[in-house]
């Protein structure tokens, strides 16, 4: 079975541009989460989506948005890029079976390395 | 605010040594604590602990949780060069979302 897949693997943008990152979860997983990992730090929660609805949002500005599609894939959009947005963006899926469940492990993709110049 | 602190931040040992990685946490309505191994990009799951005092074991790796003292340890015995990685600890609190709060990670280097 395929794991969590993310595209693109690397991306270079300039300040002020916008970017769209894509994620396909493990087959059968309905929950997708996004994390930002800055070099030397642990991943930081951005969003969780379950059954196409936003379940949670981390402490990120409104420039960050996401959505989940009927096939459970997801996109993360970042507008008006800043130098500080340079990071590894990780997508994770989870086999949680209902909206109230939180106690399931996350399976991570290999991430998109975003560089903002 | 939920918080996870890992120590040490960096550790260099020789192959065959035993290492202990530490994770202390503060979280509202604790649900679980997870350990991940990050070698290149994708963190890979090692353990999830929900109950205090019960050791989880997988080969040379083991982990235990102390909910009273709010910490967990990850032990690796007979280390191998392939164990070189960043080890991440994360906690989940009951906040309506499946949100993992990660520590900074411990960078473990195993020298031959």
């Amino acid at each position: 079975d395929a794991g969590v897949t993310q595209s693109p693997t690397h991306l270079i943008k300039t300040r002020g541009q916008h970017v769209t990152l894509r994620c396909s979860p493990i087959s059968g997983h309905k929950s997708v989460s996004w994390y930002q990992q800055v070099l030397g730090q642990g991943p930081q929660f951005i969003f969780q989506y379950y059954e196409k609805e936003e379940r949670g949002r981390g402490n990120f500005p409104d420039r960050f948005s996401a959505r989940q599609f009927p096939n459970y894939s997801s996109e993360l959009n970042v507008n008006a890029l800043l130098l500080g947005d340079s990071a590894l963006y990780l997508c994770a899926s989870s086999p949680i079976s209902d909206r109230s469940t939180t106690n399931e492990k996350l399976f991570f993709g290999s991430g998109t390395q975003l560089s903002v110049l | 605010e939920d918080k996870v602190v890992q120590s040490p931040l960096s550790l260099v040992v020789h192959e065959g040594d035993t290492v202990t990685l530490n994770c202390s946490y503060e979280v509202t309505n604790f649900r679980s604590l997870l350990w991940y191994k990050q070698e290149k990009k994708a963190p890979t799951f090692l353990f999830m602990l929900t109950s205090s005092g019960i050791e989880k074991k997988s080969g040379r790796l083991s982990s235990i949780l102390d909910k009273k003292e709010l910490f967990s340890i990850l032990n690796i015995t007979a280390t191998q060069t392939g164990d070189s990685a960043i080890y991440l600890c994360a906690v989940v609190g009951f906040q309506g979302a499946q949100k993992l709060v990660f520590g900074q990670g411990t960078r473990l280097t195993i020298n031959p």
Side-chain angles (χ1 to χ4, degrees), chain A residues 8-67:
Chain A
T9 55
H10 294 85
L11 204 50
I12 300 174
K13 293 285 188 178
T14 56
R15 281 177 296 176
Q17 287 188 311
H18 76 272
V19 67
T20 298
L21 311 182
R22 295 179 174 83
C23 172
S24 292
I26 292 171
S27 178
H29 288 191
K30 299 178 181 178
S31 172
V32 170
S33 300
W34 288 93
Y35 287 78
Q36 180 196 64
Q37 187 175 23
V38 173
L39 192 64
Q41 301 293 321
Q44 189 173 358
F45 175 77
I46 310 176
F47 287 109
Q48 184 207 359
Y49 277 77
Y50 179 77
E51 288 275 17
K52 296 168 287 181
E53 291 185 3
E54 183 182 303
R55 292 291 319 286
R57 182 186 182 115
N59 189 22
F60 281 81
D62 291 344
R63 300 184 295 107
F64 288 76
S65 64
R67 55 180 175 166

Side-chain angles (χ1 to χ4, degrees), chain A residues 10 31 33 35 37 40-43 45 48 55-56 88 90 94 96 99-106 108-110 113, chain B residues 31-32 34 36 38 40-45 48 50 86 88 92-105:
Chain A
H10 294 85
S31 172
S33 300
Y35 287 78
Q37 187 175 23
Q41 301 293 321
F45 175 77
Q48 184 207 359
R55 292 291 319 286
L88 178 67
L90 294 164
S94 174
I96 59 174
R99 27 180 326 107
S100 63
T101 302
T102 59
N103 244 16
E104 287 283 355
K105 59 188 179 186
L106 266 64
F108 284 88
S110 294
Q113 185 68 54
Chain B
R31 296 296 296 270
S32 59
L34 298 93
Y36 282 85
Q38 188 175 30
K40 291 181 181 176
K41 298 286 180 69
T44 54
F45 173 80
M48 182 167 74
T50 57
I86 296 172
L88 296 165
V92 180
F94 185 69
Q95 301 164 343
Q98 188 184 27
K99 171 186 172 182
L100 268 63
V101 176
F102 283 89
Q104 196 171 351

Side-chain angles (χ1 to χ4, degrees), chain B residues 7-22:
Chain B
S7 64
L9 294 181
S10 180
L11 187 57
V12 181
V13 299
H14 288 105
E15 204 168 20
D17 288 351
T18 293
V19 298
T20 298
L21 310 184
N22 304 295

